[in-house]
Amino acid sequence: RHEGTINTHVCFSTTLSNEGQGCQTARMVNCGSYYLYQMKPTTSYYYGFCVAQDQCSDAVKLHERWRLIINPYVSSQSSAADNKLKKGWYRLSVGHGTMPTYEPDEYYGGQRYPSWMQGELPDVKDGEVTREVRFAGTSTELEIRVKNCGEYYVYRLRPTAAATYVYSIDTDVCEHARDLDEEWRNMFYVEEKTELLHSDYQKGKDWYQFSTGFRMMAESPPGPQYSCGTKHAAYLNQEHPTVEDGVVPREVCFKENVDSDIYQGCDVVENVRVKNCGDYYAYQLNPQVKEGAYCVYNRKTSCYPPVVHAKYGELAIVNCTLNSEKDFDPAEVEWTFLDDTVLPDNNMDNIDISDNRLLLNINNIADKNAGVYAFYIASTQTTALVEVILFSAVESGQKYYYAGLGDEVVLKVTFNVVDTIEKEISWKKLPHKPVTGNNYILSADQSSLTIRSVTSKDFGTYRCTATFEVEGVAYTKHADIVVKEEEDDE
C-alpha cells in the first residue's frame, strides 16, 4: 500500500499453454481492502478482464440428491443433466461431498452414465490437481481439477457431452441399505415343507443389509437341501472386505437344488458389491434367480458371557441359546472341558448343568475350573466356546515402586477371593525378613504395607501371601512387589 500508484502489465491468455501472451500496460493502486486499476479498452470483444476467485469459498454448490450414486435414474427427472453446466468451480454438498473413486452402475446417480474419478483425492498441501473423470459403462473421459479445502473438496467442472452424462456424488451406502430381517435366512434353518419355501426373486436391484444373525451373508454353502428356507441358497463365494477396503466387487453363488449334504457347485453366479460398515455389511444385490434367496451366517449356538472373569469362590453362570426356529433334543447337547473331559465329571463336582443342557453353573470357582468349556451340538456340528479366567488371588496393580531415602512408600494389593472365605495374610521382605517394627505399618485388611522413612535396607522385593480354602482344598497364593531407589536427575 505504501508504494502508491504503480505501473504494471495486464496479459491475455491466448493459448492453453499461456505461451505468446498479448499484454498491455496498466496502472494499479492498493486501497487496503481492494485494488483500483486504470486499464485501456481491449482491442476486441474476444478479450476480457477476469476477477480472481477463491475456489473454496466461491465454489457453486451442487446439492441435487438425484446425484447420489444410490439413486436410480428416473426418466421423468428432466433436471438430471449436466450438458449445460457452466464451466467453473463446484462443491458437491450432499452425501460424502466427493465424486466416487470407483465405477458406479449405469442408470444410477440420476442418469444413465454417472461419473467417477480416477486417482486419489488430494491432500490440502497438494493444492489444485488434475484428474480424469470417466462415466460408467463408457470410454468417455474429461479432465477436471480438484482442490482439498480442508473440510471439503471443490471440483472445476465443464459441461458433459450429453444430458445422459452427469457428475455423480458418493454417499455412504451403509446408511441407505434396506433391511433383510427374516429369520428363515439362517444358514442352519432347514424348511421341511416345500410349499413354505422363500424367494428373493425380483426384489429389485438395491443395497441391502441383514439384520439377523451375525448381520453378514454366509461364506460357505449350507448343507442340507432347503437350507435358509429356500430352494437355491445363496452365499458369498469370497471373503468379506475390511472397513478400509471400501466398496468392493464380490461373487455370490446360488447353490444347486440337490438332496445331498455334500458340497455342490454354483448353479448361478451373481456379481455383487459389498461394503464393510463396521458392525454389519451392506450388499448391492440384484435378485434374478427364481426360487433363490440369500443366506445369513449364524452359528446355531451362542453362549453368554463368552469369557468369565471370576474371583476364587465365586459363582459363574453361563447361559446358552439356540439361534434356530426348530425344537431341539437336549440329549444332543454335549458339554466338554479342555477338549477331553465330558461334563458332568466327578473331578468337577462343583459344576451343575440344567435339565435342558443350556445353563451351566460353576459353584465356588477355583484353579480346577479355569480353562475353556465347549457347548457342542452333534447334529449341526456347531460349537460355542466359553473361557473361564481366574483373577490372581493376590494381585498387585503396580509391580515397581520408586522411593528416595527418607521417603514414605505405600505398597498395595487386591485380594480376589470372595469375602465369605477366610484368608490368612502375611507380608515379608524376601528372602525371609518379616516386616515388623515401627518402620512398617499394615492396613486393617492387610491389603497395604506402608514403609516409613525409607532406608537403603528397605530396597528390595516384598511378598504378600494369602492362604485360604475353597471346598476343602487349600491354596497359597502370593504377589511380589519391588521397591527401588529413585535415581537423581542429573
Side-chain angles (χ1 to χ4, degrees):
R1 186 173 181 179
H2 66 277
E3 295 176 335
T5 302
I6 64 171
N7 295 319
T8 186
H9 287 86
V10 175
C11 297
F12 300 90
S13 177
T14 56
T15 64
L16 291 177
S17 62
N18 288 329
E19 295 177 356
Q21 294 176 335
C23 299
Q24 68 179 31
T25 59
R27 304 181 75 199
M28 179 177 67
V29 61
N30 186 336
C31 296
S33 59
Y34 60 94
Y35 294 86
L36 285 179
Y37 301 84
Q38 185 182 43
M39 296 178 291
K40 301 175 183 178
T42 61
T43 58
S44 167
Y45 63 83
Y46 289 113
Y47 297 83
F49 301 109
C50 295
V51 177
Q53 179 187 30
D54 183 336
Q55 302 97 319
C56 293
S57 60
D58 296 336
V60 178
K61 291 184 178 180
L62 294 182
H63 52 75
E64 301 89 351
R65 296 195 64 82
W66 54 258
R67 296 183 183 276
L68 297 175
I69 58 168
I70 61 165
N71 289 334
Y73 166 61
V74 179
S75 59
S76 61
Q77 289 177 323
S78 58
S79 62
D82 284 329
N83 59 320
K84 296 182 180 181
L85 186 77
K86 291 183 178 180
K87 184 177 181 180
W89 286 93
Y90 291 89
R91 175 182 173 184
L92 312 181
S93 59
V94 294
H96 282 337
T98 57
M99 198 177 295
T101 54
Y102 56 90
E103 185 175 5
D105 285 336
E106 293 181 49
Y107 295 101
Y108 276 79
Q111 258 294 355
R112 179 172 181 178
Y113 306 121
S115 69
W116 60 289
M117 188 183 80
Q118 292 185 302
E120 297 181 352
L121 288 163
D123 294 328
V124 173
K125 66 178 184 295
D126 295 332
E128 289 184 29
V129 299
T130 301
R131 292 289 186 267
E132 294 293 331
V133 165
R134 302 194 68 174
F135 297 86
T138 76
S139 58
T140 302
E141 291 186 357
L142 282 179
E143 184 178 281
I144 66 169
R145 297 186 66 78
V146 189
K147 183 177 181 181
N148 186 329
C149 296
E151 296 180 356
Y152 56 92
Y153 296 86
V154 292
Y155 299 78
R156 182 168 175 78
L157 306 176
R158 64 178 67 182
T160 58
T164 50
Y165 296 78
V166 294
Y167 296 111
S168 60
I169 301 177
D170 202 1
T171 189
D172 191 348
V173 296
C174 299
E175 297 176 3
H176 303 279
R178 293 167 54 186
D179 266 353
L180 297 177
D181 57 2
E182 299 85 357
E183 292 290 342
W184 50 260
R185 295 184 185 277
N186 186 339
M187 65 182 296
F188 294 110
Y189 172 69
V190 179
E191 181 55 66
E192 296 177 349
K193 298 180 179 179
T194 56
E195 64 269 21
L196 297 179
L197 292 174
H198 303 275
S199 172
D200 288 327
Y201 180 57
Q202 291 187 334
K203 274 186 177 293
K205 184 175 183 178
D206 208 338
W207 284 90
Y208 295 89
Q209 62 163 312
F210 300 105
S211 55
T212 60
F214 285 100
R215 306 189 70 179
M216 62 187 295
M217 193 180 297
E219 288 185 335
S220 58
Q225 188 180 30
Y226 306 143
S227 292
C228 310
T230 188
K231 184 176 287 187
H232 297 284
Y235 60 93
L236 202 66
N237 207 21
Q238 299 158 302
E239 65 179 12
H240 280 79
T242 64
V243 173
E244 292 75 18
D245 292 334
V247 177
V248 299
R250 289 291 186 265
E251 288 184 353
V252 165
C253 175
F254 285 84
K255 184 182 172 184
E256 294 174 338
N257 179 36
V258 179
D259 186 12
S260 172
D261 289 349
I262 63 173
Y263 173 77
Q264 301 124 33
C266 289
D267 188 38
V268 175
V269 173
E270 177 189 348
N271 293 313
V272 304
R273 286 191 174 98
V274 187
K275 182 179 180 183
N276 186 327
C277 299
D279 294 331
Y280 60 96
Y281 296 86
Y283 306 81
Q284 188 183 43
L285 307 174
N286 187 22
Q288 294 294 311
V289 176
K290 293 182 179 180
E291 301 179 299
Y294 303 99
C295 292
V296 175
Y297 173 66
N298 197 1
R299 293 181 310 196
K300 194 174 182 179
T301 60
S302 61
C303 294
Y304 185 84
V307 179
V308 176
H309 292 89
K311 297 180 179 180
Y312 283 79
E314 272 193 336
L315 166 66
I317 300 176
V318 177
N319 186 23
C320 297
T321 58
L322 300 180
N323 299 316
S324 171
E325 297 180 357
K326 298 294 183 182
D327 294 332
F328 80 106
D329 182 359
E332 287 186 77
V333 178
E334 179 177 286
W335 282 95
T336 58
F337 176 67
L338 297 178
D339 294 335
D340 55 5
T341 302
V342 178
L343 302 177
D345 179 80
N346 291 334
N347 294 324
M348 306 281 282
D349 54 2
N350 62 331
I351 293 179
D352 297 322
I353 300 174
S354 63
D355 291 340
N356 65 3
R357 309 282 292 174
L358 298 179
L359 198 65
L360 182 76
N361 292 338
I362 309 175
N363 305 283
N364 295 316
I365 288 181
D367 287 355
K368 67 180 181 180
N369 302 120
V372 177
Y373 296 76
F375 176 83
Y376 177 71
I377 298 180
S379 62
T380 56
Q381 296 185 343
T382 53
T383 303
L385 301 179
V386 177
E387 185 175 9
V388 174
I389 300 174
L390 273 173
F391 291 116
S392 298
V394 185
E395 187 174 23
S396 171
Q398 185 173 333
K399 176 68 175 178
Y400 296 97
Y401 288 77
Y402 292 87
L405 295 175
D407 288 348
E408 179 176 289
V409 62
V410 181
L411 314 183
K412 296 181 179 181
V413 298
T414 300
F415 301 116
N416 292 311
V417 182
V418 295
D419 294 336
T420 55
I421 293 179
E422 293 185 2
K423 302 176 288 293
E424 290 184 8
I425 310 299
S426 64
W427 286 81
K428 67 179 179 180
K429 182 174 181 292
L430 297 181
H432 45 68
K433 179 185 176 182
V435 289
T436 58
N438 295 332
N439 199 40
Y440 299 104
I441 300 175
L442 279 173
S443 62
D445 63 356
Q446 302 184 76
S447 65
S448 69
L449 171 67
T450 302
I451 307 175
R452 299 165 56 184
S453 188
V454 172
T455 68
S456 59
K457 295 182 179 180
D458 294 320
F459 297 122
T461 302
Y462 292 77
R463 174 169 292 177
C464 178
T465 302
T467 303
F468 55 94
E469 286 188 4
V470 179
E471 290 202 335
V473 179
Y475 295 93
T476 299
K477 305 290 182 179
H478 68 266
D480 291 342
I481 303 172
V482 180
V483 178
K484 290 188 172 185
E485 185 175 5
E486 192 173 61
E487 297 180 0
D488 292 332
D489 293 329
E490 296 185 2

